[in-house]
Amino acid sequence: MKQKIGLLGFGTVGRGISEILRDKKDYLNKKYGFEYDIVAVADFAFGNVYNPNGLDIPLMLEQAGNKEKFTKDLTNMETLDLVKNSNVSVWCELTFTDLNTGGPAIDHVKTALSAGKHVVTSNKGPAALLYPEMKKLADENGVKFMIEGTVCAGTPVINLTDGPLAGCEISKISGILNGTTNYMLTEMEKGMSYDEVLKIAQEKGYAEADPTGDVEGYDARGKVTILANIVMDAGIKITDVPCQGITNITPDDIDFAKKQGKRWKLIGSVEKRDGKIHTSVAPEMVDVSHPLAGVMGATNALTFATDMLGDVTIVGPGAGKIETGFSILTDLLYVHRNS
Ligand code: HSE
């Protein structure tokens, strides 16, 4: 079946997946029999567009790149109307993350799932705040709710624990979960100032729309919550996770660590111990010989402590346009192969 894809949000990730789908059409068809059209896009800055037979994606990428509004296939349908009443079979929810209210993504996801449309998302709001409810709604409507991109961008984490690692009991997950702060700490160690490097992280598309979420550790806290609830059935709320970011780390702190043969890393962890779930997000000084010390830039690394394999570590990109766009592709392919 040809998938009719809709995008909610045409920012960094929306454009990333659009470029991938534009460039890999023949490969994805030949290799996986995956056929698709992008038929709807809703974006508060560029406008809502709909063409049941497929949109002009190259034109839209050009217009968005020039910060111009869309001009072709404009529709008067409001976003939730489009979500419900278009021929879209799978919606990609790619609007900005709001970890306080989850909005507007939660409304988008609920409306799509209730209308019997699959949802694929890298938005941490619905996954961190309401995963069990969203999953139940998806199951009741016979559709998928896929969230690989919410943790470590396209580097496989959620699908890894659900797929290849299924059957292993995981007692601890810990590591570097935020690309922006790891990039900042890497560059600050080389002498760049906090403000300067944060600006570059925003330009590179690593940081959240509101970068407070990155530097205060809230983004990593959302990811810890998602992992705790999905992998360990912890049933915790995001506010249960003690959280400290990197805003208090000064150039003196970085020098202090360096002199001791150490390096600062923002570490997120969730551990099942003594029948309880322990979680945290905090900066730690790790020895330069520690495996996480060598993980630099916007890279993420997560170690899973398992009962049958011991430690399994995955290292890969944690942020970025194509890197997060890939997480959407991998979930779209899952939907294609399993529905
Ligand atoms: N702002 C996030 C990060 C993006 O830097 O890790 C990926 O979730």
Side-chain angles (χ1 to χ4, degrees):
M1 171 194 148
K2 194 174 200 181
Q3 290 288 357
K4 298 285 182 178
I5 298 171
L7 308 180
L8 291 151
F10 205 67
T12 304
V13 186
R15 286 180 238 176
I17 183 61
S18 298
E19 287 176 19
I20 294 170
L21 293 174
R22 176 196 63 191
D23 297 343
K24 284 184 168 273
K25 201 156 191 149
D26 289 345
Y27 170 78
L28 293 169
N29 186 5
K30 223 178 268 167
K31 179 99 178 156
Y32 306 104
F34 183 35
E35 290 185 282
Y36 53 81
D37 291 315
I38 301 179
V39 296
V41 173
D43 185 280
F44 75 93
F46 302 117
N48 287 5
V49 286
Y50 177 46
N51 183 332
N53 299 315
L55 295 166
D56 187 344
I57 293 299
L59 174 69
M60 291 166 62
L61 283 166
E62 192 187 319
Q63 292 182 322
N66 294 333
K67 297 190 172 28
E68 291 162 10
K69 288 187 182 293
F70 299 142
T71 51
K72 198 170 166 187
D73 298 315
L74 289 168
T75 174
N76 289 329
M77 288 168 94
E78 296 288 340
T79 301
L80 291 184
D81 189 17
L82 194 57
V83 169
K84 251 189 300 196
N85 296 319
S86 56
N87 70 341
V88 169
S89 53
V90 51
W91 279 104
C92 305
E93 213 304 329
L94 311 170
T95 62
F96 61 93
T97 290
D98 179 338
L99 285 170
N100 293 315
T101 66
I106 282 180
D107 283 344
H108 295 161
V109 174
K110 275 189 186 168
T111 306
L113 295 175
S114 303
K117 300 179 187 259
H118 305 286
V119 174
V120 165
T121 187
S122 56
N123 190 317
K124 284 145 277 189
L129 300 177
L130 283 181
Y131 182 78
E133 195 182 312
M134 298 293 157
K135 177 74 173 68
K136 189 164 168 271
L137 195 56
D139 291 346
E140 283 168 2
N141 285 282
V143 289
K144 311 281 182 213
F145 176 51
M146 304 296 296
I147 62 163
E148 178 57 54
T150 60
V151 181
C152 297
T155 302
V157 171
I158 307 286
N159 296 341
L160 177 72
T161 59
D162 194 39
L165 287 182
C168 266
E169 286 181 51
I170 296 171
S171 55
K172 183 172 180 185
I173 309 172
S174 67
I176 298 167
L177 281 163
N178 181 268
T180 301
T181 47
N182 205 53
Y183 176 77
M184 290 175 71
L185 291 169
T186 301
E187 295 303 316
M188 283 164 71
E189 201 180 311
K190 293 182 200 159
M192 212 182 265
S193 77
Y194 180 96
D195 290 338
E196 201 179 352
V197 72
L198 175 56
K199 193 164 164 277
I200 298 173
Q202 287 176 286
E203 283 163 7
K204 285 181 177 281
Y206 301 153
E208 296 299 302
D210 175 2
T212 318
D214 296 290
V215 295
E216 296 287 6
Y218 306 145
D219 174 79
R221 178 165 72 165
K223 291 164 179 168
V224 165
T225 309
I226 292 168
L227 291 171
N229 288 342
I230 292 182
V231 183
M232 296 189 186
D233 297 319
I236 61 166
K237 291 203 284 290
I238 191 164
T239 45
D240 293 335
V241 180
C243 175
Q244 196 189 328
I246 65 159
T247 46
N248 291 331
I249 295 186
T250 63
D252 284 349
D253 294 326
I254 288 174
D255 275 351
F256 176 76
K258 222 189 241 177
K259 282 183 190 129
Q260 295 188 62
K262 294 183 190 240
R263 182 170 276 157
W264 287 100
K265 292 290 172 193
L266 184 66
I267 306 293
S269 74
V270 49
E271 183 174 12
K272 223 186 269 175
R273 193 172 4 105
D274 309 325
K276 288 195 191 129
I277 298 287
H278 304 262
T279 56
S280 80
V281 171
E284 287 178 24
M285 281 199 295
V286 298
D287 203 273
V288 285
S289 61
H290 189 282
L292 288 183
V295 177
M296 307 299 265
T299 306
N300 284 183
L302 267 190
T303 298
F304 301 86
T306 75
D307 56 348
M308 289 187 276
L309 299 175
D311 282 356
V312 175
T313 299
I314 185 138
V315 181
K321 181 165 85 168
I322 295 300
E323 295 84 342
T324 311
F326 168 71
S327 73
I328 303 303
L329 173 63
T330 198
D331 279 349
L332 285 172
L333 281 170
Y334 181 91
V335 169
H336 161 67
R337 292 160 129 184
N338 292 280
S339 58

